[in-house]
Amino acid sequence: NLNVSIVYTRRLKELNPKMLIGIGGYHAPHVPEATLRTDNGQLFDFTMSGYTEKAILRIPIAYEHGGIEAFKRIPQIMYLDTEKGFQHNRNVDFPSLADLPLPANDLIPDFDLTAARVFSVYGCPFQCQMCNLGNQDSYSERPLSLFEQEIEYFVTEKGVKYVYEIGRASCRERV
């Protein structure tokens, strides 16, 4: 909820005005400029768009070692520049599912899980006219062994009865 994020972020900025704060969720990537202009642009420092698993890891390193100029070169980042206004680095650092570690599913609290979601692919290899996901440069398949390992964990360790595959099967035109 954006309103809750605003309340908490105002408090964080009171405690440490120099704290770098990014915002995600629904509003930020869909209406990024309006979201970043909250409280006259003094609240949120950045947001990101797309698959950001790799790009987001660059933020603390870039900010610590190169300051705001290095921060601005991070792929997929959106921010307000004091001179140029809203900026969006449209370069993409698309993650390969083969290079990403398995999610830390062991951090999920122990309560009755009946279902889990597991990604088999990111993006889509097709370029259907009715869809904006298709792009050969932003498609990655997860190795079958990692996919099976994650499903096995949910079934044996968490007692999951249903596993929903997130990936290519969502495109009814091509399945």
Side-chain angles (χ1 to χ4, degrees), residues 29 32 49 72-79 86-94:
S49 63
K72 293 175 180 180
R73 292 191 296 270
I74 297 170
Q76 299 156 267
I77 200 157
M78 294 178 273
Y79 59 94
F86 177 74
Q87 299 293 301
H88 183 179
N89 182 341
R90 296 186 186 278
N91 293 326
V92 175
D93 193 1
F94 192 78

Side-chain angles (χ1 to χ4, degrees), residues 1 6 8 27 34 45 67 76 94 114 153:
N1 183 308
I6 289 170
Y8 282 107
H27 287 88
D45 298 294
Q76 299 156 267
F94 192 78
T114 57
Y153 176 83

Side-chain angles (χ1 to χ4, degrees), residues 4-174:
V4 173
S5 295
I6 289 170
V7 169
Y8 282 107
T9 303
R10 283 179 181 148
R11 181 67 181 130
L12 288 169
K13 287 287 188 174
E14 285 174 15
L15 295 171
N16 184 354
K18 294 184 182 198
M19 181 183 292
L20 185 68
I21 296 181
I23 182 159
Y26 176 79
H27 287 88
H30 290 89
V31 286
E33 186 171 1
T35 303
L36 292 171
R37 290 195 184 281
T38 303
D39 283 3
N40 296 317
Q42 301 300 309
L43 201 57
F44 304 113
D45 298 294
F46 69 93
T47 188
M48 299 183 87
S49 63
Y51 297 103
T52 61
E53 286 88 343
K54 284 174 63 179
I56 201 165
L57 297 175
R58 295 180 181 193
I59 291 171
I61 296 165
Y63 196 69
E64 183 177 323
H65 296 288
I68 197 70
E69 290 308 312
F71 174 75
K72 293 175 180 180
R73 292 191 296 270
I74 297 170
Q76 299 156 267
I77 200 157
M78 294 178 273
Y79 59 94
L80 293 176
D81 184 285
T82 53
E83 295 174 13
K84 299 177 184 176
F86 177 74
Q87 299 293 301
H88 183 179
N89 182 341
R90 296 186 186 278
N91 293 326
V92 175
D93 193 1
F94 192 78
S96 164
L97 284 174
D99 296 336
L100 294 176
L102 284 172
N105 293 320
D106 58 313
L107 298 178
I108 296 173
D110 286 327
F111 58 89
D112 290 333
L113 278 180
T114 57
R117 299 183 319 164
V118 179
F119 284 89
S120 63
V121 300
Y122 270 179
C124 179
F126 308 110
Q127 295 183 344
C128 303
Q129 288 184 346
M130 84 306 196
C131 179
N132 65 356
L133 270 181
N135 182 343
Q136 294 289 345
D137 297 330
S138 59
Y139 176 73
S140 177
E141 291 185 3
R142 183 179 225 174
L144 184 58
S145 61
L146 293 177
F147 185 67
E148 291 173 334
Q149 188 178 346
E150 189 170 9
I151 291 172
E152 179 72 19
Y153 176 83
F154 277 121
V155 171
T156 59
E157 300 295 323
K158 296 292 184 181
V160 165
K161 293 179 179 31
Y162 304 98
V163 175
Y164 299 96
E165 182 262 349
I166 308 295
R168 191 178 339 189
S170 61
C171 182
R172 291 190 178 111
E173 299 291 319
R174 298 289 183 162

